[in-house]
Amino acid sequence: MEIWSAFGVHRKGTAERWADRILNYSPDQNVRIARMFSEIFSRPPSEVEMELAGQFLDEQRDSYGPELTSTEEDKRPWQDLCHALFNVKEFIFVE
């Protein structure tokens, strides 16, 4: 719980704020994903992780479909990726 509190994960809107910051960091999806891994795990993503994160974003975009506005179309899948990364065992537990 201490790590969660240090990152403010327990607060409402944390994933949304992180996604906003990542979206403003770079227009390149792979650069964004690499930045997220660097920030949350202090390491770059492996090739497999990069591919899986990209697939996850594509699937999330598809799942939202035409209901999204042009702003949401980019933002909501990234928020979902933030939530997914917050729940990775590597982030939750310190070895």
Side-chain angles (χ1 to χ4, degrees), residues 19-86:
D20 287 341
R21 194 166 41 77
I22 291 297
L23 288 170
N24 289 322
Y25 180 73
S26 171
D28 183 274
Q29 177 171 294
N30 288 338
V31 171
R32 290 174 178 171
I33 293 169
R35 178 67 180 203
M36 293 175 82
F37 272 73
S38 175
E39 289 181 5
I40 199 163
F41 303 126
S42 298
R43 64 169 178 81
S46 68
E47 288 182 30
V48 171
E49 289 169 328
M50 182 68 79
E51 184 178 328
L52 290 173
Q55 288 175 359
F56 178 83
L57 289 167
D58 291 341
E59 289 171 6
Q60 293 305 104
R61 287 183 191 109
D62 291 344
S63 74
Y64 287 120
E67 71 183 57
L68 298 175
T69 67
S70 61
T71 302
E72 289 174 328
E73 187 171 34
D74 209 29
K75 186 176 182 178
R76 284 178 42 179
W78 287 94
Q79 290 172 351
D80 295 340
L81 182 57
C82 291
H83 283 288
L85 293 177
F86 284 145

Side-chain angles (χ1 to χ4, degrees), residues 7-20 82-83 86:
F7 280 92
V9 174
H10 64 283
R11 290 191 212 142
K12 184 179 179 181
T14 301
E16 291 81 1
R17 287 190 304 276
W18 190 26
D20 287 341
C82 291
H83 283 288
F86 284 145

